[in-house]
Amino acid sequence: MTKLWGGRFDGKNEAWVDEFGASIPFDQLLAHQDIAGSLAHVKMLGKTGILTAAEATTIADGLKAVAEKITSGEYQFTIENEDVHLNIESFLHEEIGPVAGKLHTARSRNDQVATDMHLYLKEVLQDVVTKIAALRTVLVKKASDNIETIMPGYTHLQHAQPISFAHHLLAYYGMLTRDQERFTENLKRADISPLGCAALAGTTFPIDREFSAAELGFSAIYQNSLDGVSDRDFILEFLSNASILMMHLSRFCEEIILWCSHEFKFVQLTDTFSTGSSIMPQKKNPDMAELIRGKAGRTYGNLLGLLTVMKGLPLAYNKDLQEDKEGMFDSAHTILSSLEIMAGMVASMTVNVQHMAESTEKDFSNATELADYLAAKGMPFRQAHEIVGKLVLSCTQQGSYLQDVPLTQYQEISPLITADIYEALQSRTAVKRRHTLGGTGFDQVALQVEKAQQELGSH
Ligand code: ARG
């Protein structure tokens, strides 16, 4: 078959060149965007008089017919036609004959593919923003049900201080709020039209770039044609945002995996989000959480892959840029499905409220309470820290806890300690008393929930 670009070639391409050079196996995902771009372009060609009104209408009708026949499966993409752009153009030839050849006036595949990518990413970004907001809503709901649920707060994965489970969940709400902001910000850069930059230098035809941009719903156009066809920053930004998002989801999944374990028993996942073992009949594995944790890896890979592709490229278009697609599609698919699964998993998980709270009762996570108690009564904090540290050591040796120490012993340690110490040592009291802004105190957490609900309501 002759190539649409075959004029200056006298030989036929080897099959392996077609095979290696083609992007149709993956860029066919852009068919819908490619046709939308062509429709806007041809409308502009008609409006500016570059094509006659009749030609523009014939081409536009032809493109619509092609779109339908791609959807119905009547037109099949072929490797010989290399990419989505050439495949669609050849279908258009089949549909309307030689006038199809006029569609590519004042355009290049270089601005065409960049336009497709911008259109695709705009759709994905809107979808991502909606799905992040949905997950944030789930988190806030779970948090509002668990304001007074006590859990051990950790540092170094060691019991540190008791906290509200809602507080823990709302930390992820904070991360996801920033993620959502980043993707929303990303939309601005995806929302710029490269159409009309042509191959690299613009064109001699009197095109109207603003018209075609507006047709496609873009808010702005690239000011420099070389930049317009070479820029993939908006994709890098997306891959970077996707990596940060997946890092957050992965951390959360890691915690959920720990919480489901026999050792923690803090939460239970529903059967939908778990799978069994082919050999061990008792197993209920948190596979979905593990997979989200695992898939963070590929999103980092996609970011590093494209950064590396871009780093040595001279202006303007180079075929290397064809490598921008698979990673982008993959990250888009990965984050969209991960966000959805995460929302379902968190919404449906059962919290073992009592067990969680009990796990803060046989530990020393109230040691700061004792030190703070002494410091509040005037003892220098460092001295209080030292005294409590020694007491923890002796308790550990005897197999007891701070709440088991008799009042007489406390008063020998310091006359500042009175009977109200036992109340202060309760996990619930420890959480409740942390009234500082952003702290884990029930009143503060309730305030965080309220603010989050307002944020979600106003978006
Ligand atoms: N399939 C190509 C890509 O994805 C389209 C642009 C081709 N342009 C060119 N000058 N060969 O990048």
Side-chain angles (χ1 to χ4, degrees), residues 211-285:
F211 176 85
S212 51
E215 275 296 302
L216 290 167
F218 284 114
S219 312
I221 61 171
Y222 278 89
Q223 295 303 312
N224 179 302
S225 62
L226 291 171
D227 185 31
V229 290
S230 315
D231 176 36
R232 295 296 184 270
D233 296 356
F234 63 108
I235 302 174
L236 287 169
E237 205 175 323
F238 170 70
L239 297 175
S240 161
N241 294 339
S243 299
I244 299 174
L245 167 69
M246 287 303 287
M247 177 271 289
H248 291 151
L249 298 188
S250 179
R251 289 183 79 172
F252 196 6
C253 283
E254 165 66 10
E255 297 204 301
I256 292 174
I257 293 161
L258 285 172
W259 295 343
C260 295
S261 69
H262 185 76
E263 285 69 22
F264 280 79
K265 288 197 200 78
F266 285 180
V267 301
Q268 264 165 282
L269 298 181
T270 53
D271 287 358
T272 318
F273 296 94
S274 320
T275 58
S277 152
S278 56
I279 174 169
M280 297 163 283
Q282 86 285 8
K283 288 301 283 296
K284 183 172 162 187
N285 299 324

Side-chain angles (χ1 to χ4, degrees), residues 25 32 41 43 62 65 83 97 116 119 129 139 164 243 316 368 375-376 407 421:
H32 160 73
H41 179 67
K43 191 163 175 188
D83 59 23
D116 292 2
L119 288 173
V129 165
L139 281 170
S164 144
S243 299
T368 315
L407 190 58
I421 187 58

Side-chain angles (χ1 to χ4, degrees), residues 145-146 148-152 165 265-268 350-361:
D145 294 343
N146 285 285
E148 302 213 4
T149 304
I150 313 275
M151 74 178 284
F165 182 53
K265 288 197 200 78
F266 285 180
V267 301
Q268 264 165 282
T350 317
V351 185
N352 301 337
V353 176
Q354 202 181 334
H355 182 73
M356 230 183 206
E358 278 167 10
S359 72
T360 67
E361 278 154 24

Side-chain angles (χ1 to χ4, degrees), residues 23 27 82-83 85 109-110 113 317 319 321-322 325:
S23 53
D27 71 8
E82 192 178 323
D83 59 23
H85 326 293
R109 274 187 295 159
N110 300 348
V113 69
Y317 179 84
K319 186 76 166 180
L321 289 173
Q322 184 164 288
K325 289 172 197 60

Side-chain angles (χ1 to χ4, degrees), residues 153-214:
Y154 295 84
T155 62
H156 311 266
L157 203 57
Q158 305 288 322
H159 283 204
Q161 292 170 350
I163 57 171
S164 144
F165 182 53
H167 193 58
H168 196 103
L169 293 172
L170 290 173
Y172 286 101
Y173 173 84
M175 297 174 223
L176 286 162
T177 303
R178 296 193 294 276
D179 284 322
Q180 190 174 326
E181 278 167 17
R182 270 187 287 270
F183 283 107
T184 305
E185 188 55 31
N186 199 166
L187 250 174
K188 282 195 214 158
R189 258 85 58 190
D191 197 18
I192 306 175
S193 172
L195 194 56
C197 291
L200 71 161
T203 169
T204 54
F205 290 97
I207 58 169
D208 185 343
R209 290 190 58 202
E210 260 136 11
F211 176 85
S212 51

